[in-house]
Amino acid sequence: MDNMAEEKVADDGSIRRWRVMMLVILLRVLALFATAAAAVVMALSKESRTFAVPTSGNTPVKITMTAKFQYSPANIMFVITNGVATLHSLLMLSLMCFVNNKYDIKGLRFITVTALDMVTIAVLSGAATTVAFMGELARNGNSHAHWNKFCDKFERYCDLGSGALLASSIGILLFMLVNLVNIFERGRFNPYKNPISA
Amino acid sequence: MDNMAEEKVADDGSIRRWRVMMLVILLRVLALFATAAAAVVMALSKESRTFAVPTSGNTPVKITMTAKFQYSPANIMFVITNGVATLHSLLMLSLMCFVNNKYDIKGLRFITVTALDMVTIAVLSGAATTVAFMGELARNGNSHAHWNKFCDKFERYCDLGSGALLASSIGILLFMLVNLVNIFERGRFNPYKNPISA
């Protein structure tokens, strides 16, 4: 009777662990797609506009101006950061699926994964916040610094940037969720029986 | 004999826990000072300069211009964020020192503290990165957007901003360290015996 009860408990535990593992994999895959989308959309944000400049003659001179993401260091940083976060997700997924959990010596694997996740969250958050404030500057300008807005002229460029920002924000939330699920499950169980430390 | 050995192990455990607790308190106090310094220095960054503008007459007209942190939304956000992080450190320190650990029901207290720490790290990192890139813009300008630099005219203002950024960065590193120590200690021990969950 005791034996049966114990088996039932063990079964419940492994079912729970299986579910949590599936949840972590799902969240990691979604985060991967979110950061990849953010990097790609930002990297493709480019807009050329042709303006007619009135001159003293009869025919106005036409000038073509281009807005590219490479023109702003903040946007370059955003693309690199989201790219690195995508690679990080890939690495963690492969670590989880292909490397046996028995190599978690004294919890070092768990804390390494947690530390990497935390740094990724901090860096992603830095990039997203910077792009958000640069976008605000591009939309409204700053009269004190005599910096003029340009989103009224390059609407599509600014909209693509906003889209990338939205994708990156979703990615950050998913990263936080994964990290918290990992930490919570580790804290709940005895560390040496928990298979989802990665 | 067995009894003595057990007692020795228990003693080692409590000494270790005590040391870790002291370490966490030290790191939290240092983080508190770092973020408070960042907020205060940024909030006090103000510089007035008088420029002589040559006119067609004999006496040049003098214009006084002022650079204040309030002129940039990024700097306002930086001050608020670092202030909130300081309050967060205070709250965590009082929680650790005055609230008994037995109220940690099913690890909820631990995960709440970890989640709050993580959000604080993300928000602090966002503010610091934004101010860093805005500073780069203020120092070098951006020729593509026709945004001119102004740090050559308001040197002290820009230097104060850099100082605040340095303090905030140290604060972020300390926050990360506290969070990792907390999580690592939680993962190492059985959760219901670990007194440093806060």
Side-chain angles (χ1 to χ4, degrees), chain A residues 144, chain B residues 46-49 51 64-68 71 154 157:
Chain A
H144 301 290
Chain B
K46 187 183 167 183
E47 190 180 6
S48 290
R49 285 284 304 275
F51 302 98
T64 301
M65 290 178 86
T66 308
K68 287 182 193 173
Y71 288 167
F154 295 97
Y157 173 74

Side-chain angles (χ1 to χ4, degrees), chain A residues 123-156:
Chain A
V123 175
L124 274 180
S125 162
T129 315
T130 305
V131 164
F133 275 79
M134 286 291 168
E136 194 271 338
L137 203 57
R139 280 195 199 282
N140 302 324
N142 187 325
S143 58
H144 301 290
H146 302 292
W147 291 341
N148 295 317
K149 60 182 170 183
F150 60 78
C151 275
D152 48 345
K153 294 178 199 91
F154 295 96
E155 242 177 81
R156 201 173 149 265

Side-chain angles (χ1 to χ4, degrees), chain A residues 40-139:
Chain A
V40 169
V41 170
M42 181 60 92
L44 293 179
S45 65
K46 187 182 168 183
E47 191 179 5
S48 290
R49 285 283 303 276
T50 304
F51 301 97
V53 181
T55 54
S56 53
N58 281 328
T59 47
V61 174
K62 281 183 180 176
I63 296 177
T64 301
M65 290 177 84
T66 308
K68 286 182 194 173
F69 87 95
Q70 296 101 309
Y71 288 168
S72 159
N75 290 1
I76 296 172
M77 195 258 295
F78 183 88
V79 171
I80 294 172
T81 307
N82 278 280
V84 169
T86 307
L87 290 180
H88 170 81
S89 289
L90 262 181
L91 184 72
M92 292 299 117
L93 278 169
S94 42
L95 186 71
M96 225 172 130
C97 296
F98 302 122
V99 182
N100 197 304
N101 200 52
K102 73 182 175 190
Y103 298 114
D104 185 9
I105 299 149
K106 288 192 178 181
L108 274 180
R109 170 172 158 170
F110 165 69
I111 204 70
T112 309
V113 169
T114 309
L116 283 176
D117 272 346
M118 195 190 292
V119 171
T120 309
I121 289 170
V123 175
L124 274 180
S125 162
T129 315
T130 305
V131 164
F133 275 79
M134 286 291 168
E136 194 271 338
L137 203 57
R139 280 195 199 282

Side-chain angles (χ1 to χ4, degrees), chain B residues 63-106:
Chain B
I63 297 177
T64 301
M65 290 178 86
T66 308
K68 287 182 193 173
F69 87 95
Q70 296 100 311
Y71 288 167
S72 159
N75 290 1
I76 296 173
M77 196 258 296
F78 184 88
V79 171
I80 294 173
T81 306
N82 278 280
V84 169
T86 308
L87 290 180
H88 170 80
S89 289
L90 262 181
L91 184 72
M92 291 300 117
L93 277 169
S94 43
L95 186 72
M96 227 173 128
C97 296
F98 302 123
V99 181
N100 197 303
N101 199 51
K102 73 182 175 189
Y103 297 114
D104 185 8
I105 299 151
K106 288 191 177 180

Side-chain angles (χ1 to χ4, degrees), chain A residues 17-60:
Chain A
R17 270 177 230 153
W18 177 253
R19 281 187 187 150
V20 171
M21 210 165 152
M22 287 297 113
L23 176 68
V24 169
I25 289 178
L26 177 72
L27 289 174
R28 283 234 188 261
V29 170
L30 288 176
L32 188 151
F33 281 115
T35 51
V40 169
V41 170
M42 181 60 92
L44 293 179
S45 65
K46 187 182 168 183
E47 191 179 5
S48 290
R49 285 283 303 276
T50 304
F51 301 97
V53 181
T55 54
S56 53
N58 281 328
T59 47

